[in-house]
Amino acid sequence: MKPPPRPPLIAPFGSPGPAARRRRSRDPLIAALLWTLTAATACQSAPQPAPEVPTPGQEAQDEPMNPMTPPGDLALSALGASFSDDASKIIDGALATSQAYNKLEALCLEVGPRLSGSPALDEAIRWSMEELKKDGHDKVRAEPAMVPRWVRGAESAAVTAPRAFPLTMLGLGGSVGTPKRGLEAEVVVVANEEELEAAAPRIEGRIVLFNNPMPPFSHETGTGYGHTVRFRVNGADMASAHGALAVLVRSVTARSLNSPHTGMLSYKDEVPRIPAAAITTEDADTIAGLVRRGHAVKVKLSMEARNHDPVPSANVVAELTGREAPEEVVVISGHLDSWDVGHGAHDDGAGCVIAMEALSVLRRLGMTPRRTLRVVLWTNEENGLMGAKAYAQDHAGELRLHAAAVESDSGGFDPASIAVHHQDPERQARAAATLEGLLPLFAPVRTGTVLRGFAGADVGVMLTDDVPLLGLVSDPSQYFDYHHSHADTFDKIDKAELDRSVAAMALLAFILAEMPGRLGDLP
């Protein structure tokens, strides 16, 4: 029997008003911070200070992953029960047939790191489109976006006194370069803002080292990333305000084998732009120890870093067209760009292949949901969010028909949590409660908690358009060991963990695209 006609799955919300448009046009770096602060407030028991302006790619596991409800206390909801058979089919199918590991190996080894504006990112865009077409997806396309182009160039740093030894360093993304012959100056070591202010009379004409250790990860206190990263993001301006020539930052990681970690910085116009670089935790402690023992430490820094004019790039898009309401969309996504070191394996090659393969799993299983599932592989997450901003602008007329937008940008580890974020607190709470009623379905893939707050930097651009945002959040215990470093390579990927993330994404996507109403809708 043919089912009776049904009303639209999503009630029209109208186009965003002027206030929403103004909010969307806000500097994406500042916008990303606001979303991250929401996550920190929601997830941690003792709030910590956070940076004034974060990197665009602030990860969903910045702060503690404390469960809002103990997993053992969760019961399967009536909605969840209606998806029990589907969940088993999707999880079994994903674990048996996932090609995510092979896809990620090709991306990492054959394309490599993919900095915005680079030929490697252009190649990654071509590669991902070919893979999506091979898997038979609908409407595979590249949607244009202009992105910044920053080139690292040759760089080096060395201590020249009281003894000479090289420093292992990486220039920070977006940094200006040094003079051609480099610069050499005495180092002033500070741990925080208070020590910076106390040292202010000694800073002019010198190099400032921010030696603020990131604490070890624990489930009780989280990663501490959102607290520690403020010096990487804002340190150059903070030091420049006191006349510093350059800034060095202790790498934002709790574990190191002499590997520096890069990342985006932010310059304001009020003070001169000075070169900025990350050094290893070992080198930071060595310099700090020499200063503590009464030595005047001098460093020579040479950086050819340069910011160029924006260049064309693109988001990669592909779809599984919905069977009943193809005009209504659920986005599943990761970001295709990476920093220019390592392979960009966990950040965020893994997120890209998780989204790609989740769509392919559902297609192979013949499970076409009511709404359209749309994969988006974002460009320029790491240093600008221009891909996400272009998507929000280009699709402004249809964002009211976006049932949800999901991002995977926390590595290819086990899918520990689902984060949910909505600009309406009441709808966010309702969405979180709905997800908690679904969690027992995810037990086979080890997803056990729901987080309230930040879901992803790219999808976050749609926050003010009333779109429910979700993040597939990996186990954060090892992520910052590799993050933004030479160590973020394919050999760090565990196939079984990656496949469980594919299964979790496929199940989450199917439910969001199949359920009767939009997640978090009020009665």
Side-chain angles (χ1 to χ4, degrees):
M1 179 182 295
K2 185 177 180 180
R6 62 172 186 82
L9 294 173
I10 301 175
F13 285 87
S15 59
R21 288 193 294 270
R22 285 195 300 272
R23 287 191 295 270
R24 189 194 303 153
S25 67
R26 182 172 49 204
D27 184 337
L29 301 181
I30 297 173
L33 169 66
L34 298 178
W35 304 323
T36 304
L37 292 180
T38 302
T41 303
C43 298
Q44 68 180 23
S45 55
Q48 297 175 318
E52 291 180 9
V53 183
T55 112
Q58 212 116 53
E59 284 69 20
Q61 76 279 33
D62 278 0
E63 299 300 337
M65 295 291 106
N66 295 335
M68 305 303 286
T69 305
D73 294 343
L74 294 171
L76 187 64
S77 65
L79 177 65
S82 72
F83 283 102
S84 291
D85 292 343
D86 294 323
S88 297
K89 184 177 180 180
I90 290 169
I91 290 172
D92 292 346
L95 297 182
T97 69
S98 172
Q99 296 298 307
Y101 191 78
N102 292 335
K103 285 182 168 71
L104 185 56
E105 183 178 37
L107 177 63
C108 289
L109 302 188
E110 296 173 9
V111 178
R114 309 165 295 279
L115 186 62
S116 286
S118 69
L121 181 57
D122 293 341
E123 177 58 29
I125 291 168
R126 289 190 291 270
W127 171 85
S128 56
M129 291 180 67
E130 289 173 5
E131 291 296 317
L132 291 163
K133 288 176 181 176
K134 278 194 283 187
D135 285 351
H137 296 311
D138 310 327
K139 300 179 182 177
V140 178
R141 59 196 186 272
E143 297 188 348
M146 296 297 292
V147 301
R149 179 171 176 254
W150 175 78
V151 178
R152 178 180 302 280
E155 57 185 16
S156 65
V159 170
T160 58
R163 64 180 179 88
F165 60 93
L167 297 172
T168 306
M169 57 84 75
L170 280 173
L172 296 183
S175 176
V176 298
T178 63
K180 186 172 292 188
R181 295 180 178 274
L183 58 84
E184 184 176 7
E186 186 176 342
V187 177
V188 176
V189 181
V190 299
N192 51 40
E193 293 87 348
E194 292 76 19
E195 290 189 11
L196 180 70
E197 291 303 316
R202 300 186 289 114
I203 288 176
E204 187 171 359
R206 295 180 176 175
I207 296 171
V208 170
L209 166 61
F210 286 99
N211 188 32
N212 186 277
M214 180 171 164
F217 170 82
S218 77
H219 285 284
E220 290 72 33
T221 60
T223 65
Y225 179 83
H227 173 67
T228 312
V229 75
R230 68 189 192 272
F231 299 108
R232 190 199 77 202
V233 177
N234 299 310
D237 278 356
M238 294 163 64
S240 177
H242 295 292
L245 297 180
V247 66
L248 302 174
V249 179
R250 180 190 181 102
S251 286
V252 185
T253 184
R255 286 196 286 251
S256 175
L257 292 175
N258 205 41
S259 60
H261 295 238
T262 190
M264 188 64 181
L265 59 70
S266 176
Y267 287 124
K268 296 185 178 69
D269 294 332
E270 290 80 6
V271 294
R273 298 186 175 194
I274 61 174
I279 61 174
T280 66
T281 65
E282 294 89 341
D283 284 342
D285 284 339
T286 298
I287 293 173
L290 287 168
V291 170
R292 187 178 64 252
R293 294 179 66 83
H295 296 282
V297 177
K298 288 188 176 181
V299 164
K300 182 172 182 179
L301 179 66
S302 298
M303 296 172 59
E304 293 181 351
R306 184 178 175 189
N307 289 287
H308 298 263
D309 291 336
V311 296
S313 186
N315 299 318
V316 175
V317 180
E319 296 179 357
L320 174 57
T321 305
R323 70 177 192 276
E324 291 183 14
E327 74 282 1
E328 298 175 8
V329 174
V330 171
V331 168
I332 57 175
S333 67
H335 69 84
L336 197 52
D337 66 306
S338 74
W339 285 108
D340 55 337
V341 293
H343 294 159
H346 280 294
D347 187 17
D348 184 35
C352 290
V353 300
I354 287 167
M356 294 167 70
E357 195 60 21
L359 199 69
S360 297
V361 165
L362 294 174
R363 185 175 291 279
R364 286 195 296 269
L365 292 172
M367 299 182 69
T368 302
R370 294 173 174 176
R371 303 179 180 92
T372 292
L373 282 173
R374 178 180 291 167
V375 165
V376 182
L377 307 181
W378 310 103
T379 189
N380 186 229
E381 186 271 352
E382 292 291 2
N383 60 334
L385 292 174
M386 298 309 293
K389 188 173 181 181
Y391 181 91
Q393 292 171 342
D394 293 346
H395 294 268
E398 64 179 82
L399 290 181
R400 64 188 180 86
L401 293 175
H402 277 47
V406 188
E407 184 161 3
S408 175
D409 184 18
S410 55
F413 305 101
D414 269 327
S417 306
I418 299 170
V420 60
H421 194 190
H422 198 284
Q423 66 173 350
D424 181 342
E426 188 176 1
R427 291 181 65 188
Q428 178 174 294
R430 186 177 177 87
T434 298
L435 290 169
E436 286 181 336
L438 299 171
L439 276 182
L441 298 175
F442 292 81
V445 292
R446 306 181 183 180
T447 306
T449 60
V450 172
L451 308 174
R452 278 80 161 170
F454 178 78
D458 296 290
V459 296
V461 172
M462 291 179 268
L463 180 67
T464 56
D465 292 288
D466 223 27
V467 179
L469 310 179
L470 296 97
L472 186 65
V473 183
S474 295
D475 176 352
S477 58
Q478 300 177 63
Y479 182 69
F480 288 105
D481 299 353
Y482 313 125
H483 176 253
H484 294 181
S485 79
H486 291 285
D488 185 10
T489 49
F490 178 71
D491 59 291
K492 311 305 189 305
I493 300 294
D494 182 286
K495 182 180 185 301
E497 293 178 345
L498 185 66
D499 287 345
R500 284 192 284 270
S501 287
V502 170
M505 178 67 90
L507 177 54
L508 179 61
F510 183 80
I511 292 173
L512 292 169
E514 180 70 13
M515 62 190 293
R518 185 158 72 165
L519 184 70
D521 278 354
L522 300 175

